[in-house]
Amino acid sequence: VQLQASGGGLVQAGGSLRLSCSVSGRTFSNYVRGWFRQAPGKEREFVAAISGSGSSTYYAESVKGRFTISRDNAENMVYLQMNRLKPEDTAVYYCAADLLSTYQGGSYYYTGSRYWGQGTLVTVSS
């Protein structure tokens, strides 16, 4: 199984990027897929997740209203549209499949994943 993330790059604050994640080796149409990121000197953190059908999405508070996750199960793809980017969004973004989660207080908290892509660097300049 191989996850391949692409679409990262250098963008000015306020700009947009669209990340893509392809999967080869198996399908994940029934599994939660998502994105995590890791900024320099920090731990990897959850960004966004999407249910198998695509009907439910979940976001970190820091990206709500600016990022949109979507998926195309026919193409085995997941996307992350990032708008109004901020310098604090600078990180290596990792796509993930079959996310691990806990359910507390009526909300899901995504803590990791069974499958990871290699990461794509997003740099937002001020």
Side-chain angles (χ1 to χ4, degrees):
V1 178
Q2 186 172 14
L3 280 69
Q4 182 77 35
S6 61
L10 174 64
V11 63
Q12 288 188 332
S16 299
L17 281 175
R18 188 191 193 210
L19 305 184
S20 300
C21 178
S22 63
V23 177
S24 59
R26 63 168 287 180
T27 61
F28 287 95
S29 56
N30 294 324
Y31 293 85
V32 177
R33 295 180 63 178
W35 295 89
F36 288 71
R37 68 185 180 187
Q38 187 167 17
K42 295 188 177 181
E43 294 186 353
R44 191 175 298 188
E45 64 176 3
F46 168 74
V47 175
I50 187 167
S51 63
S53 66
S55 61
S56 297
T57 56
Y58 311 87
Y59 298 94
E61 285 297 324
S62 59
V63 307
K64 274 183 181 178
R66 300 188 298 120
F67 291 11
T68 302
I69 189 171
S70 61
R71 67 190 295 166
D72 182 343
N73 284 339
E75 297 294 329
N76 221 5
M77 296 288 294
V78 169
Y79 306 97
L80 186 68
Q81 178 66 44
M82 305 186 296
N83 298 329
R84 305 200 311 274
L85 283 160
K86 304 175 181 180
E88 50 264 44
D89 295 318
T90 294
V92 177
Y93 284 71
Y94 297 90
C95 64
D98 194 6
L99 271 62
L100 306 174
S101 65
T102 59
Y103 188 74
Q104 295 180 357
S107 298
Y108 283 101
Y109 295 89
Y110 292 96
T111 57
S113 179
R114 291 183 176 85
Y115 298 92
W116 295 99
Q118 87 291 357
T120 185
L121 177 63
V122 172
T123 303
V124 185
S125 63
S126 56

